[in-house]
Amino acid sequence: MGRFSIPIMGFMLLCCLAALTEAKYLKYKDPKQPLGARIKDLMNKMTLAEKIGQMVQIERSVATPDVMKTYFIGSVLSGGGSVPAPKASAEAWVNMVNELQKGSLSTRLGIPMIYGIDAVHGHNNVYNATIFPHNVGLGVTRDPQLIKRIGDATALEVRATGIPYVFAPCIAVCRDPRWGRCYESYSEDPKIVQQMTEIIPGLQGEIPVKSRKGVPFVAGKQKVAACAKHFVGDGGTTKGIDENNTVIGLNGLLSIHMPAYYNSISMGVATVMISYSSWNGKRMHENRDLVTDFLKNKLKFKGFVISDWQGIDRITSPPHANYSYSVEAGVGAGIDMIMVPYNFTEFIDDLTDQVKRKIIPMSRIDDAVKRILRVKFVMGLFENPVADFSLVNQLGSKEHRELAREAVRKTLVLLKNGKSAYKPLLPLPKKTAKILVAGSHADNLGHQCGGWTITWQGLGGNDLTTGTTILNAVKNTVDPSTQVVYSENPDAEFVKSNKFSFAIVVVGEPSYAEMFGDSNNLTIPEPGPSTISNVCGAVQCVVVVISGRPVIIQPYLAKIDALVAAWLPGTEGQGIADLLFGDYGFTGKLARTWLKTVDQLPMNVGDPHYDPLFPFGFGLTTKSTKN
Ligand SMILES: *[C@@H]1O[C@H](CO)[C@@H](O)[C@H](O)[C@H]1NC(C)=O
Ligand SMILES: *[C@@H]1O[C@H](CO)[C@@H](O)[C@H](O)[C@H]1NC(C)=O
Ligand SMILES: *[C@@H]1O[C@H](CO)[C@@H](O)[C@H](O)[C@H]1NC(C)=O
Ligand SMILES: *[C@@H]1O[C@H](CO)[C@@H](O)[C@H](O)[C@H]1NC(C)=O
Ligand SMILES: *[C@@H]1O[C@H](CO)[C@@H](O)[C@H](O)[C@H]1NC(C)=O
């Protein structure tokens, strides 16, 4: 080999690579090209099948690399609890997502798919993720910067598993706590819900120019595309019946349920999900006036609109009774991506047929695809379609758990403190002889996290994921000399015969999600009320209520010495002990009206004849005893 051979080979390699690159130059793959030019170039190259594929979102259980490739599928989701394996590691998630992505990248045009998941209080489907308090608690904090930091942390945990898209935040304004999704709502007050949209710049990154109104914005590999949901009026249904009818005039809709969408759009929210509910009798999934004319044309939202799970099927009653009608009405209304989620060939065949027969105009398909591609380009998905393991240590990190613990402290509301104002019970002393911890929710991580945790409906028990129960938090906090006795549901005799200094009773609602949480009585199920009676009748007690909404507490209030609403705090139960024992003071103020009886409902702040047990904005304070 001559002495010049290496540089010459190097030169030849360079020149050939350049030639090769030039031959293969694709404008849409060039990040230096303007967004509009990339979209246009790619759209010009796409067939109808490739376009329709972009509009389809399928569930991971029916997705394979081959399906992704054959049908040009634009998106995959994990439904609630749909995981690669029970207790799967972050690496296993990354591998699963990448495997499907490789199928998409192997298509003629190599358009990456976008993987989405419900990360509604942290990355809640994933084992070992930090579970933050549900929104009903976060509204209490009145602290948008805290909510933004939760968005930052959630984005990192989601990216740790190779996922770039979350179906959050829920910006519902729950106007009736009988609704099974009330805990997904920050408040009954639209102004608080507007403030809490600050989670969007946390998830997506801060939009540099707010005047680029309506253009989606996602700041690269450590951020995720967000989804404001459920458009619109989801929290206003009659008697809080899930997916039901929101009966309200246009002014009411615009002043109560719409405002948080204005904030979300100005922050560059990438996507909006349509509500299952109806507005004055018309299903939102077929409401062209609100989806196309209002959201897209008037508000100038430029991201994509996604259906809810089988949302177009549910346009008809019973669902899927006339699928062609559902496809025509849903796509016609302006929905761009359809969460199918299983029978994608049925959807693709139907939509293709309707386009060929000109029932659905090609311009509607082009609008949908343009929006989907816009989000994918803006977030850098074409440049970074495949995840690596560089963020896996973010999942459930110590830093995020500390943030969740801080959030728990700010979400608690102290509703009563002592039978007389002169003798407050809280903060409790750490050093005393013997204390009782009781109640169905004292040692139950699953109930503490609520629905949308590991599974759709949530799970009871302590095995679901890693976290600190309230019992363990109490044990971690008291002086080593203090004896902590735990009894889930003690009888009064037991409580009397032991000389407890005081008792902590933790009761509430079991986990639930969506319509399974609808309730027309809002009672704490047994044995919760018996535990309150047995314990509080015999010893000084603080009752901590774990619930997704205000529940009926008035009948027991006189027996209770101190009462704390803890909502659904998530995995970091230590935040509760931080307040009970005075390391920090209570600051939370109700972001919901606390009812006396269900026949008062609906009852919201500002209503005439407002007669709550505890009004909106109520919350006692304590001071930290730490020096
Ligand atoms: C979950 O976290 C615990 C420590 O908190 C660790 O020991 C375990 O390996 C983690 N499991 C997975 C699947 O990542
Ligand atoms: C609302 O709920 C009622 C009672 O279950 C039901 O009959 C009605 O069809 C529902 N309406 C809508 C729009 O879902
Ligand atoms: C289904 O909807 C289509 C389109 O609106 C309509 O023409 C057809 O009659 C409907 N079929 C049934 C069985 O209702
Ligand atoms: C999908 O839909 C088609 C058309 O309605 C039907 O024939 C087929 O059985 C469905 N497949 C599944 C798996 O449900
Ligand atoms: C309250 O409603 C729930 C669910 O709707 C039901 O299971 C329960 O039995 C009811 N409780 C009472 C006391 O009526």
Side-chain angles (χ1 to χ4, degrees):
M1 210 184 267
R3 52 196 272 240
F4 294 114
S5 60
I6 288 170
I8 287 168
M9 274 172 69
F11 171 76
M12 283 171 65
L13 200 69
L14 266 179
C15 96
C16 297
L17 262 179
L20 214 66
T21 327
E22 197 164 329
K24 279 203 162 171
Y25 178 79
L26 292 165
K27 201 173 189 178
Y28 72 91
K29 289 201 171 167
D30 180 357
K32 291 199 276 304
Q33 289 290 332
L35 176 62
R38 296 181 80 183
I39 296 172
K40 194 168 168 202
D41 180 57
L42 181 49
M43 295 280 293
N44 283 341
K45 293 181 164 68
M46 291 173 81
T47 64
L48 178 61
E50 285 164 337
K51 287 180 179 175
I52 286 180
Q54 282 303 306
M55 297 171 67
V56 182
Q57 184 178 63
I58 63 175
E59 216 286 321
R60 58 160 284 287
S61 55
V62 296
T64 63
D66 198 46
V67 163
M68 301 306 291
K69 183 174 178 192
T70 307
Y71 297 94
F72 312 107
I73 301 294
S75 182
V76 179
L77 88 152
S78 273
S82 179
V83 299
K87 304 194 176 184
S89 65
E91 286 88 347
W93 278 91
V94 169
N95 288 335
M96 182 269 290
V97 176
N98 284 350
E99 201 55 36
L100 297 174
Q101 188 65 290
K102 279 175 200 151
S104 297
L105 296 179
S106 70
T107 53
R108 186 175 73 94
L109 296 169
I111 304 174
M113 63 91 180
I114 180 170
Y115 197 105
I117 195 161
D118 285 274
V120 298
H121 60 144
H123 197 6
N124 49 67
N125 284 291
V126 176
Y127 183 71
N128 266 0
T130 309
I131 303 298
F132 291 90
H134 267 298
N135 290 352
V136 66
L138 296 180
V140 163
T141 68
R142 310 292 202 276
D143 186 347
Q145 289 311 308
L146 172 71
I147 308 311
K148 184 178 179 186
R149 285 156 63 211
I150 292 175
D152 282 328
T154 303
L156 285 171
E157 296 209 11
V158 171
R159 282 288 193 172
T161 59
I163 297 176
Y165 177 26
V166 298
F167 308 129
C170 177
I171 54 171
V173 181
C174 171
R175 300 290 284 179
D176 192 321
R178 287 173 288 189
W179 187 33
R181 307 191 78 158
C182 202
Y183 65 80
E184 296 187 57
S185 166
Y186 294 107
S187 177
E188 69 196 35
D189 178 358
K191 285 195 237 40
I192 293 179
V193 179
Q194 284 186 282
Q195 282 176 15
M196 297 299 149
T197 56
E198 199 62 36
I199 194 168
I200 293 170
L203 291 165
Q204 299 192 338
E206 194 86 52
I207 191 165
V209 190
K210 281 209 176 144
S211 60
R212 287 172 72 217
K213 199 164 180 289
V215 179
F217 177 78
V218 185
K221 281 164 76 172
Q222 308 212 338
K223 293 291 172 186
V224 293
C227 179
K229 70 187 190 183
H230 311 82
F231 187 82
V232 59
D234 48 353
T237 59
T238 305
K239 295 182 181 167
I241 298 171
D242 193 37
E243 305 184 7
N244 210 260
N245 192 15
T246 295
V247 180
I248 195 169
L250 180 63
N251 286 344
L253 190 80
L254 295 185
S255 62
I256 295 173
H257 301 286
M258 198 66 83
Y261 287 94
Y262 307 149
N263 299 69
S264 302
I265 291 167
S266 74
M267 288 163 171
V269 74
T271 75
V272 169
M273 188 184 291
I274 301 303
S275 179
Y276 287 126
S277 58
S278 300
W279 178 45
N280 295 335
K282 191 178 177 83
R283 289 267 170 217
M284 280 306 305
H285 275 80
E286 59 172 332
N287 196 321
R288 191 173 203 286
D289 292 346
L290 286 176
V291 178
T292 294
D293 296 343
F294 194 80
L295 177 64
K296 290 185 174 179
N297 295 343
K298 185 143 203 289
L299 301 187
K300 306 210 177 330
F301 170 66
K302 296 284 191 294
F304 69 79
V305 172
I306 186 168
S307 81
D308 207 332
W309 176 277
Q310 295 174 335
I312 65 164
D313 303 55
R314 297 184 204 181
I315 289 172
T316 59
S317 177
H320 204 276
N322 185 344
Y323 197 60
S324 289
Y325 176 77
S326 282
V327 172
E328 183 190 345
V331 175
I335 299 173
D336 304 310
M337 184 180 280
I338 317 298
M339 193 184 290
V340 172
Y342 298 120
N343 198 340
F344 51 87
T345 55
E346 181 187 34
F347 174 76
I348 290 169
D349 291 348
D350 203 297
L351 182 56
T352 305
D353 178 62
Q354 297 204 48
V355 174
K356 287 192 171 151
R357 288 164 55 212
K358 299 198 159 50
I359 298 169
I360 296 175
M362 198 58 210
S363 57
R364 181 65 272 279
I365 303 298
D366 285 341
D367 173 57
V369 176
K370 199 181 284 183
R371 288 165 177 275
I372 292 163
L373 294 177
R374 182 179 291 131
V375 169
K376 290 182 176 182
F377 279 124
V378 154
M379 65 192 293
L381 205 55
F382 282 77
E383 287 69 51
N384 295 298
V386 180
D388 56 32
F389 295 153
S390 60
L391 293 173
V392 294
N393 291 333
Q394 295 289 337
L395 191 76
S397 73
K398 193 166 177 299
E399 212 180 337
H400 297 167
R401 290 185 188 278
E402 275 307 315
L403 174 63
R405 178 175 170 180
E406 176 189 345
V408 171
R409 289 194 294 262
K410 293 176 175 171
T411 58
L412 266 48
V413 184
L414 182 57
L415 297 171
K416 180 175 179 180
N417 190 12
K419 291 215 166 114
S420 109
Y422 305 103
K423 279 198 75 179
L425 181 60
L426 300 181
L428 301 165
K430 291 183 185 177
K431 192 176 164 106
T432 183
K434 188 162 66 168
I435 69 175
L436 173 66
V437 176
S440 50
H441 288 54
D443 189 30
N444 195 312
L445 192 65
H447 286 161
Q448 188 181 307
C449 291
W452 287 114
T453 311
I454 306 301
T455 66
W456 179 38
Q457 293 297 315
L459 289 166
N462 288 334
D463 190 38
L464 76 171
T465 191
T466 309
T468 307
T469 66
I470 297 165
L471 173 64
N472 285 334
V474 169
K475 287 179 177 169
N476 293 339
T477 306
V478 294
D479 189 88
S481 67
T482 303
Q483 192 191 345
V484 178
V485 176
Y486 168 63
S487 170
E488 190 174 326
N489 185 24
D491 58 38
E493 217 30 64
F494 171 83
V495 183
K496 271 183 206 133
S497 62
N498 276 274
K499 296 265 174 290
F500 295 115
S501 313
F502 55 83
I504 299 169
V505 178
V506 191
V507 295
E509 296 186 309
S511 305
Y512 53 77
E514 301 190 35
M515 66 290 279
F516 294 94
D518 283 0
S519 167
N520 55 24
N521 57 49
L522 294 178
T523 53
I524 298 172
E526 283 293 349
S530 314
T531 312
I532 295 176
S533 297
N534 293 347
V535 177
C536 299
V539 64
Q540 278 216 309
C541 75
V542 47
V543 173
V544 177
V545 177
I546 302 289
S547 65
R549 52 199 160 188
V551 289
I552 299 303
I553 201 77
Q554 191 183 30
Y556 325 110
L557 193 56
K559 290 180 208 155
I560 295 170
D561 297 280
L563 177 64
V564 175
W567 316 106
L568 299 168
T571 48
E572 304 316 302
Q574 195 63 48
I576 296 174
D578 287 344
L579 294 192
L580 295 180
F581 292 94
D583 284 341
Y584 292 81
F586 280 88
T587 55
K589 305 286 178 210
L590 287 179
R592 302 206 60 83
T593 295
W594 202 291
L595 71 168
K596 290 176 177 164
T597 58
V598 286
D599 57 22
Q600 295 181 301
L601 297 176
M603 174 174 58
N604 291 290
V605 60
D607 286 356
H609 317 298
Y610 189 66
D611 180 30
L613 185 62
F614 303 107
F616 175 92
F618 182 78
L620 303 170
T621 56
T622 58
K623 287 208 171 67
S624 163
T625 53
K626 270 205 305 205
N627 299 321

